[in-house]
């Protein structure tokens, strides 16, 4: 059986990788939700941007998942 220290080291080395996967998954989910909301509402990126006080480029970045 592997020692607790060995298991802890392996799990510890995987945490950044797991965090990256979770982060990307959340970003993708948010991007898709923003896009779906906008389309369902019949708004262009420009119209949504005006309603919430941001630039059209910000909406585009959010929908594409660009940081």
């Amino acid at each position: 059986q592997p020692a607790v220290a060995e298991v802890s080291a392996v799990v510890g080395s995987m945490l950044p990788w797991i965090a990256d996967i979770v982060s990307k998954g959340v970003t993708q989910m948010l991007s898709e939700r923003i896009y779906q909301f906008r389309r369902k509402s019949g708004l262009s990126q420009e119209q949504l941007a005006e309603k919430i006080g941001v630039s059209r480029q910000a909406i585009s970045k959010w929908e594409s998942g660009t940081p």
Side-chain angles (χ1 to χ4, degrees):
Q1 276 188 338
V4 173
E6 291 174 39
V7 172
S8 293
V10 170
V11 171
S13 69
M14 292 176 63
L15 287 177
W17 178 73
I18 293 168
D20 188 47
I21 289 172
V22 169
S23 174
K24 287 179 182 173
V26 169
T27 299
Q28 186 174 10
M29 286 174 34
L30 287 171
S31 296
E32 187 62 28
R33 297 288 295 267
I34 292 167
Y35 173 79
Q36 288 175 359
F37 168 79
R38 180 178 66 78
R39 295 294 300 207
K40 187 182 250 185
S41 300
L43 299 171
S44 67
Q45 288 182 344
E46 185 70 34
Q47 291 167 324
L48 179 57
E50 288 175 15
K51 287 185 177 290
I52 64 172
V54 299
S55 68
R56 185 210 49 82
Q57 291 85 354
I59 301 295
S60 178
K61 282 183 172 185
W62 295 345
E63 288 185 354
S64 68
T66 304

